[in-house]
Amino acid sequence: MKILRIYTWALIAMLYIPVALIVALSFNDSKLPYIWGGFTYKWYLALFQWEQAWQALFNSFVIALAVSLVATLLGVFMAYVLRSDKYLAISQGAVVMPEISEALAFAAALWLVKTYVGVDLFGPVGVFLAHLAYTLPMAHVLLTPYIAYVGKSVVEASRILGASEMKTVAFVILPILMPAFIATFLIVFVNSFDTYIKTAFTTSPGFITAPILLWNYAARGRGDPTIYALATLMLVPSIAAAVIYFRAIKRYSLSP
Amino acid sequence: MIKKIALVAFASVILLFYTPFLAFGYYISEGGSLKLPSLSMVITTFLLAVSTAVISIGLAYPAAYYLAKRGSELEFALITAPLWVGTLLKAYSLLVLFAIVEKFSGIALWGSPLGVLIGMVYEYLPYALLTLYAAIEKLSETPVYAARVLGASRLQAFFRVELPLTMPGVVAAFILVFLFAMGEVIMPAVLGAWKVYTFGSYIWDLYFKARDIFSGGVLSLVLTALSLLATYVVVKTIRSFSL
């Protein structure tokens, strides 16, 4: 067991080294990644003056917020209505579809709409819809096990006492599900914030998100300290979400 | 009301996955020609995906075993946290790491299949680990005690009793990682410098360079079908071995 413990910690270290490196290099005064030139904030200042980067981060944030709100709400509705296993199998299948075919399916759909209906949805709307389409099955799958926590009697009691279906979901089911709701919200948020492929297939040249900007450098193999700073900022939602998530889950497991 | 909203949302998600079929119908009616990928590309993709799955399971199993038996909450949180970091960010940080490794040791990982493999294992290891963890955690201690009492050594008890019992978890982890890895685009593009060319990159180029969305759509269906078929075959083989 002791060897296994050391092994596990070594594995954890391996998982963190590359990401920690990017964070460290974003504070490096030298432009070359293998020379340490001292501590500096100047790349963040450079990033601050780079309008496009802020626009991209802002766009990512707004899209992720909208997507996670809608996907989680619809996910609760779907999990509530489609509780039986036969629906779960279908939506679970949708989650495991290979990345690229899903994104391309969406691009094809948008393209058909553009050609036959004449509405050009490429851009923010397309990105929003694409992210929603892929996070919705995810939210559904994540929330379904927790719906079982809400006893049938509670729902029936609320209905008999005169609450509408909408009210039942909003004031009975949602509060009970809050930790699961928050956890799902965070997972969807981070996924949407970090997704590159779905965005690339559905965006227009004028609408840039943070992963798109990062890709422009990464795909050409270019290292640039300002981009390290951007990457570090993109880590912030992930870290925050991970911390909140583990707290929410912990509280949930203590008082089911 | 809620039922209607949910059903509409559900129906549109399901419908969306049939859009490539629509594109396919359109494609046939227009008499377009399908630009097939080369066989070597398909083989590269397949080999990469299989080795990613095998290596991540191999690396993750001991850690999952430890976490399921003795692991603390902190260790569990630390090992699953990388799941929250986006693929592109991971790829970019590995790119920088490779540059440093090349500077100091002279080993060029960027643009080599090995580099891509490292990237894909890095990305999918936590997925394999979580799946294996779930399988090992469910394992009861009784069969192991029985084996030990009957004279098996600790290693024998593991290989003859525990490992076969966790085989479903291994199969599940394999399917998960393999399916994800078959459709991988980001790692081959960023770490393979477009030199390691996979099925995903090919579809990518069809869409972004040739603007041939229908070939792309049809091929993405082919990719899905191929991955599912391969998963089926591999799972059958693993099952027959374990029994």
Side-chain angles (χ1 to χ4, degrees):
Chain A
M1 273 302 168
K2 195 151 192 207
I3 300 169
L4 283 179
R5 187 192 165 91
I6 294 165
Y7 174 81
T8 307
W9 277 97
L11 203 64
I12 291 174
M14 295 287 239
L15 287 176
Y16 282 84
I17 284 172
V19 177
L21 188 73
I22 279 276
V23 176
L25 287 178
S26 73
F27 293 107
N28 181 7
D29 204 0
S30 158
K31 259 198 165 230
L32 298 167
Y34 37 81
I35 295 170
W36 179 254
F39 185 84
T40 180
Y41 290 119
K42 73 177 176 196
W43 308 120
Y44 287 91
L45 291 178
L47 188 71
F48 191 68
Q49 277 149 11
W50 186 14
E51 187 116 358
Q52 204 182 17
W54 283 110
Q55 188 62 46
L57 279 170
F58 178 74
N59 286 345
S60 284
F61 186 78
V62 170
I63 288 280
L65 198 64
V67 167
S68 40
L69 267 177
V70 176
T72 320
L73 263 181
L74 283 180
V76 171
F77 289 178
M78 273 167 68
Y80 172 67
V81 175
L82 313 165
R83 266 162 298 187
S84 79
D85 284 346
K86 87 180 159 211
Y87 299 115
L88 188 67
I90 302 176
S91 60
Q92 213 147 27
V95 173
V96 194
M97 290 276 278
E99 278 256 307
I100 182 131
S101 76
E102 235 178 293
L104 211 72
F106 210 89
L110 287 187
W111 201 86
L112 288 174
V113 167
K114 192 179 167 186
T115 326
Y116 292 107
V117 188
V119 186
D120 187 0
L121 289 176
F122 287 97
V125 180
V127 173
F128 172 75
L129 289 175
H131 284 197
L132 188 63
Y134 114 95
T135 48
L136 198 53
M138 198 192 277
H140 177 203
V141 170
L142 285 170
L143 284 166
T144 302
Y146 294 100
I147 281 285
Y149 276 89
V150 186
K152 226 180 174 156
S153 49
V154 182
V155 177
E156 271 162 14
S158 138
R159 298 283 283 142
I160 287 169
L161 292 171
S164 69
E165 204 166 31
M166 217 38 163
K167 263 194 168 161
T168 310
V169 170
F171 294 109
V172 178
I173 296 178
L174 265 186
I176 299 177
L177 281 183
M178 214 38 171
F181 191 78
I182 292 173
T184 311
F185 183 92
L186 290 170
I187 291 178
V188 171
F189 184 91
V190 172
N191 254 298
S192 165
F193 192 86
D194 284 333
T195 293
Y196 172 66
I197 293 182
K198 271 102 188 162
T199 316
F201 273 108
T202 50
T203 191
S204 58
F207 188 74
I208 286 186
T209 63
I212 299 252
L213 197 60
L214 184 58
W215 171 270
N216 290 341
Y217 284 81
R220 285 184 217 131
R222 264 199 276 173
D224 182 329
T226 319
I227 298 298
Y228 304 157
L230 177 73
T232 308
L233 285 187
M234 282 173 67
L235 273 177
V236 172
S238 308
I239 295 168
V243 172
I244 301 171
Y245 175 82
F246 284 115
R247 293 193 148 185
I249 285 296
K250 216 166 154 188
R251 203 173 308 153
Y252 203 64
S253 60
L254 283 179
S255 55
Chain B
M1 175 69 181
I2 282 190
K3 201 161 194 169
K4 267 182 205 152
I5 297 175
L7 284 176
V8 167
F10 189 58
S12 34
V13 168
I14 300 289
L15 259 182
L16 193 65
F17 293 104
Y18 289 98
T19 332
F21 289 103
L22 266 179
F24 188 48
Y26 174 86
Y27 195 75
I28 290 174
S29 67
E30 295 283 300
S33 69
L34 196 60
K35 297 190 191 79
L36 281 174
S38 67
L39 188 64
S40 69
M41 186 193 306
V42 178
I43 294 173
T44 314
T45 313
F46 182 77
L47 285 181
L48 263 178
V50 170
S51 21
T52 304
V54 170
I55 295 174
S56 6
I57 290 172
L59 283 177
Y61 198 100
Y65 187 83
Y66 167 74
L67 282 176
K69 301 281 178 194
R70 297 274 160 79
S72 70
E73 219 161 63
L74 175 71
E75 286 162 330
F76 187 73
L78 276 177
I79 221 159
T80 47
L83 277 175
W84 294 86
V85 178
T87 317
L88 187 58
L89 259 175
K90 285 182 186 161
Y92 191 60
S93 47
L94 276 180
L95 179 79
V96 177
L97 183 69
F98 286 176
I100 295 175
V101 168
E102 189 172 349
K103 181 75 190 169
F104 287 113
S105 69
I107 305 166
L109 287 169
W110 189 56
S112 74
L114 182 64
V116 178
L117 191 61
I118 292 176
M120 281 163 76
V121 170
Y122 179 48
E123 150 126 62
Y124 295 119
L125 188 76
Y127 290 92
L129 197 126
L130 271 185
T131 319
L132 291 171
Y133 172 83
I136 299 169
E137 208 213 2
K138 274 190 210 130
L139 216 61
S140 105
E141 290 283 334
T142 333
V144 184
Y145 288 142
R148 298 278 283 143
V149 168
L150 291 170
S153 72
R154 211 178 253 184
L155 275 179
Q156 268 178 326
F158 173 75
F159 280 110
R160 307 280 300 263
V161 178
E162 280 188 290
L163 191 60
L165 281 176
T166 51
M167 224 39 194
V170 174
V171 172
F174 185 90
I175 295 174
L176 191 71
V177 175
F178 179 78
L179 277 184
F180 279 138
M182 279 294 275
E184 181 70 53
V185 179
I186 291 181
M187 288 297 173
V190 173
L191 298 176
W194 299 100
K195 277 184 233 154
V196 182
Y197 209 63
T198 62
F199 207 124
S201 328
Y202 180 67
I203 296 177
W204 187 263
D205 278 351
L206 273 181
Y207 184 72
F208 282 102
K209 295 206 175 121
R211 284 280 156 198
D212 188 347
I213 187 164
F214 293 109
S215 277
V218 173
L219 283 180
S220 78
L221 277 180
V222 174
L223 175 63
T224 311
L226 269 183
S227 334
L228 290 176
L229 182 74
T231 313
Y232 177 75
V233 172
V234 170
V235 167
K236 272 227 130 172
T237 328
I238 294 180
R239 287 247 163 90
S240 68
F241 270 125
S242 70
L243 291 176

